[in-house]
Amino acid sequence: MNTQVLPVNEESIALAAKLLQQGELVALPTETVYGIAADARNGEAVKKIFEAKGRPQDNPLIVHICGMEMLHGIVSEVPERAKKLAAAFWPGPLTMVMPRGPEVSEVTCAGLDTVGVRMPSHPVVQAVIKASGVAFAAPSANLSGKPSPTNAQDTFVDMDGRLPLILDGGESAVGVESTVVAVTGEHPMILRPGYVTKEQMEAVLGEEVLVNHAILEKLKDGEVARSPGMKYKHYAPKADVTILKGSFDAYRDYITAHAGDGVWALCFDGEEAQLPVPAISYGKEGDGISEAHNLFTVLRELDRKGAKTVYARCPLSDGVSMAVYNRLIRAAAFRVVEV
Ligand code: TXA
Ligand code: MG
């Protein structure tokens, strides 16, 4: 299959809309990461997403809408909490898991009786949904297991020959995928951290928002994941990544003792020149927003540089940094060394 990469304009939006209506795939920018869209009601179309990504069939997809009226048929009920969170954070990088409606294909939800829905703020996604009238399922546009792409070039590297169209809308602002929160049950629960934080949701809801324990630590053997995506290998570059937890001096000393061919440092801004191996920064220390924005792009950059072993500085784990820590610890296959 020939994959076209087109700049965003009226014609390319119309082409994207037509492809979606015909049950084809389109890769497109969102404010979080690039996604691969297919009509969420059309099981045959959604199957193509799983094939293009090599995604395990039991991992459900998020449905994207552009107005509250589109929830009709997608969910069977809009819980009170969801209304409050939607008023505060939609359109934006928040996915809410709600009771599934009759119109969503089984394939989209991987057979679950719930569905994750989000209303993205990116003007290109909104334009494509409006032009097509299609609520679409869209996972991140990476091959399963790799870091999510945050620009059209990285999307092309993974999806060339696998789908007909990539819309190039520049770089994604947020850089990590949406926050996923389950809004039913006794307490709301974060299933995947993102740009919208626990603290922000608690302020809106006036109640505690729980954080699923599998977000910051490895699932135990045989444990059932609350969100199927938790159990798979994720965000991994080709190199072996290890997170070094401790001061900058201890980090530098550890790397000095372990320097060698193909060893790279994944550090914070301004530290590069003080390290004994080639180094690349993933943002400002303590600034989750800047680290989230850069992380996936930098992990892919390390692949291009041929890095074999990467020692990463440890981010914080609250606020937006919770999303950064959650992605980096998976990229590192949970290897964290205290230095
Ligand atoms: O920012 C985003 O959310 C991006 C862009 C493209 O919108 N999409 C995205 O989709 O990250 P994906 O498929 O890569 O991640 C979806 C995550 C998975 O971890 C999945 O397990 C979880 O959401 N999920 C989806 N539906 C769910 C459900 N009904 N119950 C629990 N978890 C669900
Ligand atoms: Mg993904």
Side-chain angles (χ1 to χ4, degrees), residues 10-325:
E10 256 175 57
E11 288 96 80
S12 63
I13 299 259
L15 175 61
K18 194 176 92 189
L19 287 166
L20 287 173
Q21 288 164 344
Q22 291 171 346
E24 295 299 332
L25 305 184
V26 174
L28 78 189
T30 86
E31 72 276 22
T32 56
V33 299
Y34 273 60
I36 305 171
D39 185 346
R41 295 176 170 83
N42 180 342
E44 289 308 310
V46 175
K47 272 186 197 152
K48 294 179 189 169
I49 295 182
F50 286 87
E51 281 159 25
K53 282 180 61 86
R55 181 178 177 109
Q57 301 252 337
D58 68 345
N59 194 5
L61 305 177
I62 293 168
V63 179
H64 295 63
I65 60 171
C66 69
M68 290 301 278
E69 69 289 346
M70 284 182 90
L71 283 174
H72 188 79
I74 303 281
V75 301
S76 62
E77 181 208 330
V78 185
E80 279 311 309
R81 281 186 191 123
K83 288 179 191 157
K84 288 187 192 163
L85 291 175
F89 302 111
W90 277 3
L94 179 69
T95 296
M96 292 191 263
V97 175
M98 299 189 245
R100 177 180 150 200
E103 289 177 25
V104 187
S105 162
E106 286 266 333
V107 186
T108 301
C109 297
L112 297 176
D113 56 7
T114 54
V115 57
V117 186
R118 110 172 172 93
M119 191 190 293
S121 62
H122 198 290
V124 173
V125 199
Q126 292 192 357
V128 172
I129 300 175
K130 282 197 189 105
S132 62
V134 168
F136 54 71
S140 48
N142 51 290
L143 289 172
S144 208
K146 296 226 304 177
S148 304
T150 55
N151 57 57
Q153 294 73 31
D154 288 346
T155 303
F156 183 76
V157 167
D158 281 17
M159 288 301 138
D160 183 21
R162 293 171 182 265
L163 45 76
L165 176 63
I166 300 171
L167 291 181
D168 184 352
E171 221 182 287
S172 294
V174 174
V176 294
E177 307 86 345
S178 61
T179 305
V180 178
V181 64
V183 291
T184 53
E186 195 181 338
H187 292 286
M189 183 184 273
I190 298 180
L191 304 179
R192 180 176 72 183
Y195 188 83
V196 176
T197 64
K198 166 181 158 73
E199 295 78 12
Q200 288 171 329
M201 290 191 282
E202 285 176 339
V204 167
L205 294 175
E207 65 178 323
E208 193 187 358
V209 175
L210 305 178
V211 176
N212 189 283
H213 73 93
I215 282 175
L216 299 176
E217 55 193 70
K218 201 173 177 174
L219 278 173
K220 293 173 191 63
D221 282 344
E223 184 182 355
V224 176
R226 175 83 189 266
S227 178
M230 288 169 167
K231 61 179 190 271
Y232 294 108
K233 185 178 157 199
H234 263 312
Y235 319 119
K238 291 185 193 122
D240 287 328
V241 180
T242 302
I243 299 173
L244 302 181
K245 196 171 181 180
S247 68
F248 175 71
D249 287 350
Y251 173 78
R252 188 195 49 218
D253 292 349
Y254 187 97
I255 295 182
T256 304
H258 292 80
D261 197 32
V263 175
W264 279 72
L266 180 56
C267 61
F268 295 129
D269 289 353
E271 296 173 349
E272 299 91 328
Q274 304 171 59
L275 292 163
V277 298
I280 186 164
S281 165
Y282 71 101
K284 223 170 117 201
E285 180 168 14
D287 179 354
I289 292 179
S290 112
E291 294 159 15
H293 178 77
N294 296 315
L295 181 65
F296 287 146
T297 322
V298 168
L299 289 176
R300 283 177 177 262
E301 178 74 15
L302 286 165
D303 274 354
R304 283 194 289 275
K305 303 272 192 198
K308 293 190 179 67
T309 304
V310 172
Y311 293 113
R313 286 272 266 145
C314 189
L316 300 176
S317 57
D318 61 349
V320 180
S321 296
M322 190 189 286
V324 177
Y325 187 79

